[in-house]
Every structure is written in structure tokens, then in C-alpha cells.
Amino acid sequence: MHIVVCLKQVPRDNSVKINSDLSINAEGIEQIMNLFDEYAVEEALKWNEELGGKVTVVSLGPDEWKDQIRRALAMGATDSLLLSDPSFAHLDTLSAARVITAAIKKLGDVDLVLCGRNSTDDESGAFAPSLARLLGWPQLTYVGKVNEVSDGDKVVAERHLEEHVETVEAKLPAVLSVVKDINEPRYPSLLRIKRVAKVEIPTWSAADLGITADALTPAISVSNRVPPPPRPSGEMVDGADTNEKVRALVDKLMSAQVI
Ligand SMILES: Cc1cc2nc3c(=O)[nH]c(=O)nc-3n(C[C@H](O)[C@H](O)[C@H](O)COP(=O)(O)OP(=O)(O)OC[C@H]3O[C@@H](n4cnc5c(N)ncnc54)[C@H](O)[C@@H]3O)c2cc1C
């Protein structure tokens, strides 16, 4: 069983600035593994422990993204791949999915691809569906539980939707995007972190993937990007002691018809 996890490195702080060309400026901000991707890595590791095979972590991004690839290796991923090329610098989601599709096809023996529900920076939530469409594989989105994976056969999973839980089944190979409550991601041990610190991460370029510039023409361009207006500051509730403050707060909530 070969499971691929698509992993994105993102800025920890949401208060990133916007550059004049509308790209996100994350300079000086700590980079972390995209929240949902930690759950995807954990889910892949769990099924790998049960079924055997390998877990390959794939990132499309600059060289610095090796940091989070290494974190996934320290968690237990067996293989890794960075897709990096100057022509990958200004991709939209569809082009990014095209590049990863080419990599998955080149890997050749992939049974299951796990993605996060969305990234916490660009947040399109469109990557996994684009990937599934380009590969021509079934897509299971909002997966909150994987009930069954049979090697080379099928996957049965629960889609955790706002109003209900839906159990779905698909033939492998398939693409899944996972939500947060699917599992509890493990912490990598210090020993493993040290062990993978110097591991060579294979890197494929556009030429390695046989991708030409015209395949990367964005279908969407960002015409404006502004942060939301600042939230109005909160109101302090006065009172001599806690009881009085709580009473004043309840009065305010009742007069505003919140309770
Ligand atoms: C209009 C536009 C312009 C952009 N311009 C740039 C740019 O100039 N420079 C730049 O670096 N990026 C740029 N990006 C972002 C980059 O192309 C994103 O990686 C890609 O678009 C995925 O979009 P998303 O993060 O919204 O995916 P989402 O669908 O929100 O992500 C869901 C999941 O898909 C997977 N995933 C997403 N992106 C990657 C990735 N890169 N590698 C591995 N797995 C991934 C992860 O599992 C993630 O949890 C741009 C995006 C858009 C929409």
C-alpha cells in the first residue's frame, strides 16, 4: 500500500502582510505544517502501521519547505519528495494540482492520496478536488473517519458534514481530504527529529516532471487582497467583585436579547 500525503508549509501567524503584487508576505514569521496536513500525516501513518507499505510526503514549494517535510519524516513517514522549480513560484491551485498530479503519475504505484481540508493561508479548499479530477480518481472530502482501507481495493470513510455524517465507499486509488477530528497527531520524538535532520530529500523540477510553462498558466488571478476590517474593541464590565461583574454581564446579555 503506497499512501501519498500532500503537505503544505504555512505561516504560523495569520497577521501576514500583503505585498504590492498581492502575494502574501510571510517574512520573519515562523513556518509550520498546515494544521490539517498533520492529521493527514497521522492518518497515513496509522494505516501504514496496519497494512504495511510506504508513506510518501509530497510538497510543492521552495527549498525551505524541507523543514516541515522533515517533521513528517520524524513523525514516521517513510519517503519524501519536494517539487521545486523557478516556474512553480506563481501557481494558482489548479496549476499546483497539475504539478502534483504529474508527480503522482511519475511515482506510479500510489493507492491513496491524503490532503488537508484546506490550507490555513491561501485557503481555497480546492486543491484535493482539483487533484482528484486531474487524476480521474474518486474524491472523498471532509473525511472525519476512515473505517476501512483494503489494499488495492477500496476505502470506506465517514464524511463529517455540518448537519450529518455520511458513510461513503470508493474504489482505490482515491483522493481524500481530511478534517481535524479524524485523529490525534503524534509528536515526533527527539531521537527521530535528530535522525532525519540530515536526510536527503529528493527534489524534482519541472523538467523532471515533463511540465512546460503553458501547463502552468493560472486559470485564476487575484485582483485584490485586503485584510478584514479590524474588529470593534470589546467592552469591560465593571463591578466591585466577581458576583457583581457576572450580574452586570448577564444584565447586558439579557438587554441585548442574547440570552
Ligand atoms: C491565485 C493564486 C495565486 C497564488 N500565487 C502563489 C505564489 O505566487 N507563490 C506561491 O508560493 N504560492 C502561490 N499560491 C499558492 C499555491 O499555488 C498553493 O499551494 C495552491 O494554490 C494550493 O492552494 P490552497 O493552499 O488554497 O489549497 P487548499 O485546497 O486550501 O489546500 C488543501 C490541501 O491541499 C494540499 N496542498 C495545497 N497546496 C499544496 C502544496 N503546495 N504542496 C503540497 N500540498 C498542498 C494540502 O494537503 C492542503 O491541506 C497561489 C494560489 C492562488 C489561488
Side-chain angles (χ1 to χ4, degrees):
M1 181 86 183
H2 186 179
I3 306 176
V4 162
V5 180
C6 295
L7 186 152
K8 193 176 181 190
Q9 185 164 307
V10 295
R12 178 187 287 280
D13 195 332
N14 284 340
S15 61
V16 287
K17 296 188 185 73
I18 309 296
N19 292 320
S20 55
D21 66 354
L22 300 179
S23 59
I24 292 174
N25 181 350
E27 219 177 273
I29 290 174
E30 191 194 343
Q31 301 282 316
I32 55 170
M33 189 185 299
N34 182 46
L35 172 80
F36 297 101
D37 300 354
E38 281 204 48
Y39 295 89
V41 172
E42 177 61 38
E43 199 59 25
L45 297 180
K46 269 177 47 193
W47 285 102
N48 184 248
E49 281 155 9
E50 188 158 329
L51 298 169
K54 56 184 180 176
V55 173
T56 305
V57 177
V58 178
S59 273
L60 162 62
D63 221 49
E64 304 87 84
W65 286 25
K66 285 182 178 171
D67 289 351
Q68 295 311 317
I69 293 180
R70 285 214 165 80
R71 186 177 162 83
L73 288 170
M75 284 171 79
T78 56
D79 294 78
S80 62
L81 179 60
L82 179 71
L83 309 172
S84 206
D85 192 278
S87 66
F88 297 163
H90 295 281
L91 303 182
D92 65 354
T93 309
L94 186 59
S95 309
R98 273 196 190 110
V99 175
I100 296 204
T101 297
I104 288 169
K105 285 187 174 162
K106 187 168 168 168
L107 286 169
D109 58 352
V110 178
D111 301 290
L112 188 62
V113 179
L114 297 183
C115 298
R117 187 191 78 173
N118 64 264
S119 66
T120 53
D121 56 354
D122 289 302
E123 245 184 317
S124 72
F127 182 86
S130 307
L131 193 64
R133 182 185 152 195
L134 291 166
L135 287 164
W137 295 359
Q139 57 162 317
L140 278 54
T141 51
Y142 298 102
V143 170
K145 187 173 180 203
V146 178
N147 302 353
E148 188 189 331
V149 182
S150 341
D151 206 350
D153 182 21
K154 65 172 183 184
V155 53
V156 183
E158 288 177 8
R159 300 182 65 233
H160 287 197
L161 308 171
E162 211 147 291
E163 302 287 334
H164 58 274
V165 171
E166 190 179 89
T167 303
V168 285
E169 185 178 317
K171 284 248 168 249
L172 294 179
V175 178
L176 267 62
S177 69
V178 306
V179 298
K180 219 164 62 161
D181 49 4
I182 188 168
N183 56 43
E184 190 66 46
R186 67 195 70 183
Y187 284 103
S189 70
L190 261 180
L191 188 73
R192 285 199 66 99
I193 291 174
K194 278 191 188 154
R195 201 182 294 159
V196 301
K198 295 214 158 50
V199 163
E200 195 59 41
I201 294 170
T203 303
W204 290 352
S205 65
D208 293 327
L209 293 166
I211 291 182
T212 52
D214 50 320
L216 301 174
T217 310
I220 299 173
S221 62
V222 179
S223 54
N224 197 10
R225 199 172 221 164
V226 288
R231 288 188 192 168
S233 54
E235 184 188 331
M236 295 302 288
V237 179
D238 290 327
D241 55 24
T242 311
N243 279 346
E244 217 176 273
K245 285 178 190 169
V246 169
R247 210 167 292 124
L249 175 62
V250 170
D251 285 348
K252 277 180 189 295
L253 292 174
M254 285 180 78
S255 63
Q257 295 185 332
V258 176
I259 55 174

